[in-house]
Amino acid sequence: EDKILIFCRKSIFALAGTSGSLADCTLTTVTPELGCAARRTIIQVGNKVYFLSDNGVYGLEYLDEYNLRGLELPLSEAINPTIARINTDAIDKAVGRYHDNRLWFAVPADGARENNLILVYNLLNQGWESIDHVDSLDFNIRDMIVAQEGAKNKLYITTSEGGVHEIDGFSGGDQISVSAGVTIPETL
């Protein structure tokens, strides 16, 4: 739609007219009070854009081509005690993905310097359905990737140890290889 959203840490701007001359561009402030704390958490789903700020998960919605509005309340209001556990000194490492009608956010919590907690928001049910972590200090999430296996898209996480793990790939417990080179995973 010929607009670019510019996310700063404490504000958000919209740059319009980007398809023509730079002299024709106009910059408008979407909000001077709220911004994105982790660039890899910006997720667009249809006419909505979600992101992690210093104060939780927020969203913006395009009502029409000229009207961009912020959601009135933070999406994460229901899990504010969990949001308060996020280490704001390492929040820039957080990542987010959209998969299977859910928003997935990996965040550093409880003083961790790497992502050790996954927050899952179900867009169909309009609610937080899971707050997950692996019971190991060595299991840190670097990224989340949506990739195809056969005819189905699946969500994978990569770890600081170089591991690649499928989310919800095993029934009956989570099988995790915490250390690199381990061929038999632990069930945690």
Side-chain angles (χ1 to χ4, degrees):
E1 289 294 328
D2 194 25
K3 281 188 184 173
I4 296 173
L5 290 177
I6 302 167
F7 288 88
C8 301
R9 183 79 183 245
K10 303 286 184 195
S11 57
I12 303 170
F13 300 92
L15 185 65
T18 58
S19 63
S21 166
L22 291 178
D24 297 333
C25 292
T26 57
L27 185 67
T28 57
T29 303
V30 175
T31 176
E33 303 164 355
L34 176 68
C36 180
R39 66 179 177 84
R40 296 189 312 149
T41 64
I42 300 169
I43 305 168
Q44 182 174 356
V45 181
N47 67 335
K48 295 181 181 170
V49 178
Y50 302 96
F51 59 95
L52 179 64
S53 78
D54 287 315
N55 300 319
V57 177
Y58 283 83
L60 301 171
E61 181 176 19
Y62 278 99
L63 301 175
D64 56 47
E65 70 177 281
Y66 301 108
N67 200 354
L68 178 66
R69 299 272 185 211
L71 302 178
E72 291 181 22
L73 293 173
L75 196 64
S76 58
E77 182 180 33
I79 60 166
N80 270 345
T82 302
I83 295 297
R85 294 171 45 201
I86 295 175
N87 180 0
T88 56
D89 291 334
I91 197 170
D92 61 309
K93 294 180 180 166
V95 295
R97 291 292 176 267
Y98 169 76
H99 173 68
D100 197 23
N101 294 311
R102 290 169 178 82
L103 301 174
W104 301 75
F105 295 94
V107 298
D110 303 323
R113 302 290 307 156
E114 302 260 0
N115 298 323
N116 62 346
L117 196 67
I118 297 178
L119 312 174
V120 184
Y121 184 81
N122 188 314
L123 290 170
L124 297 178
N125 296 336
Q126 296 293 300
W128 294 94
E129 74 178 17
S130 182
I131 299 171
D132 300 328
H133 76 280
V134 172
D135 192 18
S136 172
L137 296 175
D138 296 325
F139 192 84
N140 297 304
I141 302 159
R142 286 277 169 92
D143 205 354
M144 291 189 283
I145 303 162
V146 177
Q148 192 170 15
E149 182 179 325
K152 187 172 182 177
N153 283 338
K154 297 192 175 189
L155 181 64
Y156 298 89
I157 57 174
T158 61
T159 66
S160 59
E161 290 287 322
V164 178
H165 302 273
E166 179 183 345
I167 298 283
D168 293 336
F170 180 75
S171 299
D174 293 327
Q175 290 189 335
I176 304 292
S177 295
V178 174
S179 300
V182 174
T183 57
I184 301 172
E186 299 176 55
T187 301
L188 300 171

